[in-house]
Amino acid sequence: MAVKHGKQTWSPGKTPVIVSTGTVTGPTEAQGPLGKWFDHQIPGSAKTGGQNSFEDEEKQMMLMAAYAALQKASKTPEDVDLYIAGDLLNQIITSGYSASDLGIPYLGIYGACSTAAEGLVLSTAFIDAGFANLVLTAAASHNSTAERQYRYPTEYGAFRKPYTQWTVTGAGAALLAPAGRGAAITYVTVGIVKDLGISDPLNMGAAMAPAAAATLNQHFFDTGRKPADYDLIVTGDLGRHGHELLLELTAQTGFDLNPNSRDCGAMIYDPEKQDVHSGGSGAAASAVVTYGYLYSEMREHRLKRVLLCGTGALHSPTSVMQGNSIPGIAHAVSLEWQEG
Amino acid sequence: MAVKHGKQTWSPGKTPVIVSTGTVTGPTEAQGPLGKWFDHQIPGSAKTGGQNSFEDEEKQMMLMAAYAALQKASKTPEDVDLYIAGDLLNQIITSGYSASDLGIPYLGIYGACSTAAEGLVLSTAFIDAGFANLVLTAAASHNSTAERQYRYPTEYGAFRKPYTQWTVTGAGAALLAPAGRGAAITYVTVGIVKDLGISDPLNMGAAMAPAAAATLNQHFFDTGRKPADYDLIVTGDLGRHGHELLLELTAQTGFDLNPNSRDCGAMIYDPEKQDVHSGGSGAAASAVVTYGYLYSEMREHRLKRVLLCGTGALHSPTSVMQGNSIPGIAHAVSLEWQEG
């Protein structure tokens, strides 16, 4: 049985464990500073990738990530009780079509760039309730599908502002079990939507930073933990500008995140060599950084306790055109390595 | 602790109960045969509704449904641990904006027209795991927002085929608790995506019927129950043509659904008096029929045991234009009235 702490945080009764992960990215991400921690690379061009469309390529990435996680645990889709997935495309078709291929009982979620964290929250509940022995959860995004859906087709060559983020092409999957060697989920803090009136869809970091600050503050209040209790607090994905805003906002409530917090969007690209402005975004950003690089660092015992704070901007092109502001959300998941 | 039965079905350890519901519809639904069982009616016109857009009106409906459910249980949003919601709009903005207004920790889901059933599955897991004392789950759709997003703007006056369904304008919400008087959730069967190659987005009933048949067959196999063990098996929403196909498909596997199965989409409109072709569709269809009419029938002891089989078509306008077929999914939830 889970225990509720404070207003928004739960610790599961039996602690679910991420026993394996799978990550796939495009070439830009593979050439970035974390490239060597990703399992597979796709060509990043629909034609050379052998797929009919960028959307098909995105689905293929999600399947590759799912199978990579399964293979590392010597499992097949038949062994898995539930598949929980989400992505950025309208009607989350990447997830739906990948579920069709996998044939695992499927639940679709939408949390924008907080999808990976939301998937971990749901997986935790299902395993803790005894619903599932194995849960597979995945998140994906693709620069060429997301940019044209949310902003402009890449062919337009539209100017980008300094605080603009770059949608990550990638997919990450995690396989969770009730026990074992891996990253155990010790706390989850489910976010409340925060809307401070930001209406520029090119400035998502500013729209999401208040939600990240609110969830992190609440996590520390609810658990009694301090930022220093974590080896790393990682947001995903505010970008560099949004992350600076987060540091200011949390400082106002007495929490200093400067020493040990980073942002997945800022980590995945090299700001000197890669023209990605404020960093990466997209549901894949926190998924591939957490399931690729951070999971490996935990396995190598270079990080023991990590707090993932997945952040999402819950707008749509329609809501922006109708003049509505951009609501933000953030879910926090405390990961602690255990040798099983 | 939940118990797994067979491949896809679970019975929760402590049985969550829908202790109250709230339903809101537009005028067409209110004038239909089930109109008197819905709590509130909106004008169904953005201008007269006092909202800026149909999208705003849809959000307002979801909030009205949520507050109706809360009020009947003498609860406020502050009493609720989790809000789980989904809708048909891109990036489920109806759910995100309603969550922003409610201020309850929020998890967004996407299951197309199976959203209400998916919300009940998740609520069951969260309550069974001890994560939540009270969970509010909601689903919404709006004819004027969905038709123009999925098909044609209504102003086009496009011809509609006989098997076309009519997107329901409405919202339904359910408040779940670990115990009490209401509709207890005794089994959930989580669906596997089925894709038999239907690619006509105007024929969703045919795309979803194989998924409904697969989930119902699996539910009967997993639980050992027969169709006759239910007072009513209700799909939502295949429409009349899709429901006929379901009866054929389940007959092939030896289950006769003829005596006691109906479809929410077929029930909500009067085929003689209302020009809705094959019946209603949309995430609201099964939500308002189940939480309005069926919940009331159970409370009045005219129905004791109901199996809700929420059905969803997991395509998008992009996937259809790219020539992909329409994957279907269905989740089954067994509801049994208890006096608490």
Side-chain angles (χ1 to χ4, degrees):
Chain A
M1 284 291 289
V3 176
K4 186 168 182 181
H5 306 265
K7 271 179 65 181
Q8 294 169 236
T9 304
W10 291 265
S11 56
K14 57 169 184 268
T15 312
V17 183
I18 302 174
V19 293
S20 67
T21 60
T23 50
V24 184
T25 69
T28 314
E29 295 72 23
Q31 288 155 19
L34 307 183
K36 70 174 175 177
W37 281 280
F38 304 136
D39 294 318
H40 300 295
Q41 183 186 336
I42 56 153
S45 148
K47 284 199 168 53
T48 55
Q51 303 296 325
N52 293 321
S53 65
F54 293 122
E55 285 75 11
D56 283 356
E57 195 178 55
E58 183 173 332
K59 180 197 85 170
Q60 209 56 40
M61 280 200 300
M62 195 176 244
L63 283 171
M64 288 168 70
Y67 278 108
L70 290 170
Q71 277 170 3
K72 288 181 207 169
S74 303
K75 299 291 179 188
T76 67
E78 289 69 36
D79 299 320
V80 180
D81 297 292
L82 287 171
Y83 178 54
I84 300 170
D87 60 89
L88 299 185
L89 292 189
N90 295 342
Q91 289 72 57
I92 58 167
I93 49 171
T94 305
S95 304
Y97 284 104
S98 71
S100 181
D101 280 28
L102 286 166
I104 306 169
Y106 163 66
L107 298 164
I109 58 175
Y110 183 79
C113 304
S114 72
T115 297
E118 181 178 343
L120 292 177
V121 170
L122 264 64
S123 303
T124 300
F126 276 106
I127 288 179
D128 199 26
F131 264 64
N133 192 42
L134 285 178
V135 178
L136 184 65
T137 183
S141 55
H142 191 304
N143 191 278
S144 298
T145 65
E147 288 296 324
R148 69 183 176 191
Q149 176 182 284
Y150 280 101
R151 298 177 192 92
Y152 310 102
T154 47
E155 295 85 348
Y156 274 23
F159 279 105
R160 306 175 68 244
K161 298 180 183 176
Y163 48 73
T164 310
Q165 292 171 247
W166 180 264
T167 303
V168 168
T169 298
L175 185 69
L176 289 97
R181 178 174 185 259
I185 296 178
T186 50
Y187 286 103
V188 300
T189 302
V190 180
I192 289 175
V193 175
K194 298 292 169 187
D195 189 342
L196 270 68
I198 301 284
S199 59
D200 178 358
L202 301 176
N203 194 3
M204 293 191 304
M208 295 187 287
T215 294
L216 289 172
N217 283 335
Q218 194 66 48
H219 178 83
F220 299 133
F221 282 122
D222 288 348
T223 60
R225 287 184 172 180
K226 304 175 297 296
D229 291 329
Y230 288 97
D231 298 318
L232 183 67
I233 296 163
V234 67
T235 51
D237 40 27
L238 302 173
R240 278 191 301 283
H241 289 76
H243 189 249
E244 284 169 22
L245 185 54
L246 170 68
L247 297 182
E248 290 173 27
L249 290 170
T250 46
Q252 288 170 11
T253 46
F255 294 110
D256 181 10
L257 299 189
N258 266 296
N260 60 339
S261 90
R262 297 180 75 184
D263 181 72
C264 292
M267 292 161 75
I268 193 168
Y269 299 118
D270 183 334
E272 303 297 322
K273 295 180 191 156
Q274 296 184 299
D275 183 26
V276 295
H277 299 256
S278 191
S281 67
S286 60
V288 299
V289 172
T290 304
Y291 300 153
Y293 171 62
L294 296 178
Y295 191 82
S296 170
E297 288 292 284
M298 294 183 83
R299 190 177 52 223
E300 303 299 324
H301 298 184
R302 284 190 286 268
L303 292 171
K304 164 72 179 156
R305 196 188 267 179
V306 172
L307 185 62
L308 165 67
C309 180
T311 57
L314 301 177
H315 65 300
S316 79
T318 302
S319 74
V320 168
M321 281 194 289
Q322 291 179 344
N324 291 309
S325 53
I326 301 176
I329 196 159
H331 306 298
V333 178
S334 166
L335 302 169
E336 306 191 27
W337 191 264
Q338 66 177 36
E339 284 300 323
Chain B
M1 285 291 289
V3 175
K4 187 168 183 181
H5 305 265
K7 271 180 65 181
Q8 294 168 236
T9 304
W10 291 265
S11 56
K14 56 170 185 267
T15 312
V17 183
I18 302 174
V19 292
S20 67
T21 59
T23 49
V24 184
T25 70
T28 314
E29 295 73 22
Q31 289 155 17
L34 306 183
K36 70 173 177 178
W37 282 280
F38 304 136
D39 295 318
H40 300 294
Q41 183 187 335
I42 56 153
S45 148
K47 285 199 166 54
T48 55
Q51 304 295 324
N52 292 319
S53 65
F54 293 121
E55 285 75 12
D56 283 357
E57 194 177 55
E58 184 173 332
K59 180 197 85 170
Q60 208 57 41
M61 279 200 301
M62 195 176 244
L63 283 170
M64 288 168 71
Y67 278 109
L70 290 170
Q71 277 171 3
K72 288 181 206 170
S74 304
K75 299 291 179 188
T76 66
E78 289 70 35
D79 298 320
V80 180
D81 297 293
L82 286 172
Y83 178 54
I84 298 170
D87 59 271
L88 299 184
L89 293 189
N90 296 341
Q91 288 73 55
I92 57 166
I93 50 170
T94 305
S95 303
Y97 283 104
S98 71
S100 182
D101 279 27
L102 287 167
I104 306 169
Y106 163 66
L107 297 164
I109 58 176
Y110 183 79
C113 304
S114 73
T115 297
E118 181 178 341
L120 292 177
V121 170
L122 265 63
S123 302
T124 300
F126 276 106
I127 288 179
D128 199 25
F131 264 65
N133 193 41
L134 285 178
V135 178
L136 184 65
T137 182
S141 54
H142 191 304
N143 190 279
S144 298
T145 65
E147 288 296 324
R148 69 182 176 192
Q149 176 183 283
Y150 280 100
R151 298 177 191 92
Y152 310 101
T154 47
E155 294 85 348
Y156 274 24
F159 280 104
R160 306 174 69 242
K161 297 179 184 176
Y163 48 72
T164 311
Q165 292 172 245
W166 180 263
T167 304
V168 169
T169 298
L175 186 67
L176 289 97
R181 178 175 185 259
I185 297 178
T186 49
Y187 286 103
V188 300
T189 302
V190 180
I192 289 175
V193 175
K194 297 291 169 188
D195 189 341
L196 270 68
I198 301 284
S199 59
D200 178 358
L202 300 176
N203 195 3
M204 295 191 304
M208 297 187 287
T215 293
L216 289 172
N217 283 335
Q218 195 66 47
H219 178 83
F220 299 133
F221 282 123
D222 288 349
T223 61
R225 287 184 172 181
K226 304 174 297 297
D229 291 329
Y230 289 97
D231 298 317
L232 183 67
I233 296 163
V234 67
T235 50
D237 39 29
L238 301 173
R240 276 191 302 282
H241 289 75
H243 189 249
E244 283 169 24
L245 185 53
L246 171 68
L247 296 182
E248 291 172 28
L249 291 170
T250 46
Q252 288 169 12
T253 47
F255 294 111
D256 181 10
L257 299 188
N258 266 296
N260 61 339
S261 89
R262 297 180 73 184
D263 180 73
C264 292
M267 291 160 75
I268 193 168
Y269 299 118
D270 183 333
E272 302 299 322
K273 297 181 189 156
Q274 295 184 299
D275 183 24
V276 295
H277 299 256
S278 191
S281 67
S286 60
V288 300
V289 172
T290 304
Y291 300 154
Y293 171 63
L294 296 177
Y295 191 81
S296 170
E297 288 292 283
M298 295 183 81
R299 190 178 51 224
E300 303 298 324
H301 298 183
R302 283 191 286 269
L303 293 171
K304 164 72 179 157
R305 196 188 266 179
V306 172
L307 185 63
L308 166 66
C309 180
T311 55
L314 301 177
H315 66 299
S316 79
T318 301
S319 75
V320 169
M321 282 194 289
Q322 290 180 344
N324 292 309
S325 54
I326 301 177
I329 195 160
H331 307 299
V333 178
S334 165
L335 302 169
E336 305 191 28
W337 190 264
Q338 65 177 37
E339 284 299 323

